[in-house]
């Protein structure tokens, strides 16, 4: 018993035991029966194979030593990328064309934007005149990009020749004058109505542009001259025989003036791509001028 001390024995020469050291995080040995984890740290550089061609099957392929497929996210607003394509990996910086917005979802509609192409082929003059009366909306839309100077100048000039007989005083002067004097009066009236139609059409086109329209000026002016002449032609035909002061002529004059307002509104709406209130406002000056100069002169 002597000489026996606590803590002494036959293993007293062993070094003191130290607590086991814990492996760093990510380097612990795997549980029994499982494959060892890959070493911590950045993965080894990926091996890039030669690229035989651009796009399709020619996309570069990469070797993944861990057998893991990284998620591939398509660019925002675009379709799915090709195989083996990722935007986040080195060497895969997405390329955008100069001046394009990668987040754009399409063209934004702007008020007054013109149509990309005409709605149909140019109409012959007979179908044009018939279409203004029978199907004005479709006719104006189809002819919105075509100049109609030939029919417009011809019809307006003939309308001016006939308009002389719609005014009682002018008709008496022409009937009582000699042929040498009557012809210049009739011809000058035709030219005056052509100039009047050109000026009023230009004013209407300018107002439509100020209200946001984008239609060309030649179809606007030419079609407005046709509308002015065709709508007032029935009143003039009746006034030639009955006179401008006749009650039937007066009623017919107001009815044709309302019809002219509807056709002017449809014309500006289709050619300048404007809603009907703005289209009616753009043609207001021309309507007032027609009422005061032509119709009120005979009513």
């Amino acid at each position: 018993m002597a000489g026996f001390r606590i803590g002494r024995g036959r293993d007293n020469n062993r070094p003191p035991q130290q607590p086991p050291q814990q492996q760093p995080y990510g380097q612990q040995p795997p549980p029994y029966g499982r494959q060892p984890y890959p070493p911590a740290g950045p993965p080894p550089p990926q091996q890039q194979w030669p690229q035989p061609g651009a796009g399709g099957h020619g996309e570069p392929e990469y070797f993944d030593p861990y057998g893991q497929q990284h998620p591939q996210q398509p660019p925002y607003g675009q379709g799915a990328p090709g195989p083996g394509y990722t935007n986040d990996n080195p060497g895969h910086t997405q390329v955008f064309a100069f001046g394009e917005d990668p987040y754009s979802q399409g063209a934004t509609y702007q008020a007054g934007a013109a149509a990309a192409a005409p709605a149909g082929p140019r109409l012959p003059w007979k179908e044009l005149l018939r279409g203004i009366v029978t199907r004005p909306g479709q006719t104006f839309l189809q002819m919105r990009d075509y100049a109609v100077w030939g029919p417009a100048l011809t019809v307006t000039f003939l309308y001016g020749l006939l308009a002389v007989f719609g005014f009682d005083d002018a008709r008496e002067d022409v009937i009582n004058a000699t042929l040498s004097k009557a012809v210049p009066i009739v011809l000058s009236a035709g030219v005056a109505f052509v100039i009047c139609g050109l000026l009023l059409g230009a004013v209407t086109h300018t107002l439509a542009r100020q209200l946001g329209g984008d239609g060309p000026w030649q179809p606007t002016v030419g079609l407005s001259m046709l509308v002015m002449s065709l709508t007032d032609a029935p009143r003039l035909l009746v006034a030639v025989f009955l006179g401008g002061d006749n009650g039937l002529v007066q009623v017919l004059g107001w009815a044709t003036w309302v019809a002219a307002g509807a056709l002017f509104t449809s014309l500006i709406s289709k050619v300048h791509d404007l809603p009907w209130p703005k289209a009616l406002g753009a043609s207001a000056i021309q309507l007032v001028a027609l009422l005061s100069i032509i119709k009120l002169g005979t009513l």
Side-chain angles (χ1 to χ4, degrees):
M1 298 296 290
F4 179 79
R5 294 180 181 179
I6 300 176
R8 295 180 179 270
R10 59 181 179 179
D11 295 333
N12 291 339
N13 295 327
R14 292 184 178 180
Q17 298 180 357
Q18 298 180 359
Q21 297 181 358
Q22 186 177 2
Q23 297 292 335
Y25 179 78
Q27 298 183 1
Q28 293 87 350
Y32 178 77
R34 296 187 180 180
Q35 297 294 332
Y37 295 109
Q46 297 177 349
Q47 181 178 3
Q48 181 175 356
W49 298 92
Q51 181 177 358
H57 299 285
E59 294 291 341
E61 298 177 339
Y62 297 91
F63 174 71
D64 190 356
Y66 304 100
Q68 299 178 358
Q69 296 293 335
H70 298 283
Q72 301 176 2
Q73 297 294 336
Y76 180 78
Q78 300 183 7
Y85 180 85
T86 55
N87 294 330
D88 298 329
N89 291 342
H92 286 283
T93 304
Q94 187 176 2
V95 180
F96 298 100
F98 180 77
E100 293 183 358
D101 184 6
Y103 302 100
S104 176
Q105 297 297 323
T108 303
Y109 173 77
Q110 297 180 359
R122 179 194 296 269
L123 295 174
W125 68 272
K126 292 182 179 180
E127 296 183 7
L128 174 62
L129 300 181
R130 188 184 306 112
I132 292 177
V133 178
T134 58
R135 47 185 184 91
Q138 179 63 29
T139 301
F140 295 145
L141 184 62
Q142 186 170 348
M143 297 297 293
R144 59 173 293 171
D145 293 319
Y146 297 113
V148 290
W149 291 123
L153 296 176
T154 302
V155 173
T156 305
F157 181 74
L158 295 177
Y159 166 73
L161 299 180
L162 187 63
V164 176
F165 300 94
F167 298 95
D168 292 338
D169 296 337
R171 182 179 59 179
E172 294 295 333
D173 295 339
V174 171
I175 293 175
N176 297 329
T178 61
L179 183 62
S180 59
K181 294 182 178 180
V183 171
I185 295 176
V186 175
L187 293 178
S188 61
V191 174
F193 272 86
V194 169
I195 297 175
C196 180
L198 290 172
L199 294 177
L200 293 178
V203 171
T204 301
H205 170 74
T206 302
L207 291 178
R209 281 301 188 103
Q210 292 180 354
L211 293 176
D214 62 348
W217 71 276
Q218 296 185 19
T220 304
V221 177
L223 291 174
S224 66
M225 294 173 66
L226 289 176
V227 170
M228 177 189 71
S229 304
L230 294 177
T231 53
D232 197 43
R235 181 191 68 86
L236 289 179
L237 291 176
V238 178
V240 168
F241 301 98
L242 300 181
D245 293 335
N246 185 271
L248 178 61
V249 175
Q250 296 180 7
V251 173
L252 191 58
W254 284 104
T256 54
W257 183 77
V258 173
L263 290 179
F264 277 126
T265 302
S266 178
L267 164 63
I268 302 303
S269 177
K270 294 298 186 297
V271 175
H272 287 269
D273 194 19
L274 288 175
W276 73 265
K278 290 185 177 182
L280 180 60
S283 58
I285 294 181
Q286 188 165 5
L287 286 172
V288 172
L290 293 178
L291 180 64
S292 59
I293 297 175
I294 299 176
K295 299 186 186 304
L296 291 183
T298 59
L299 295 179

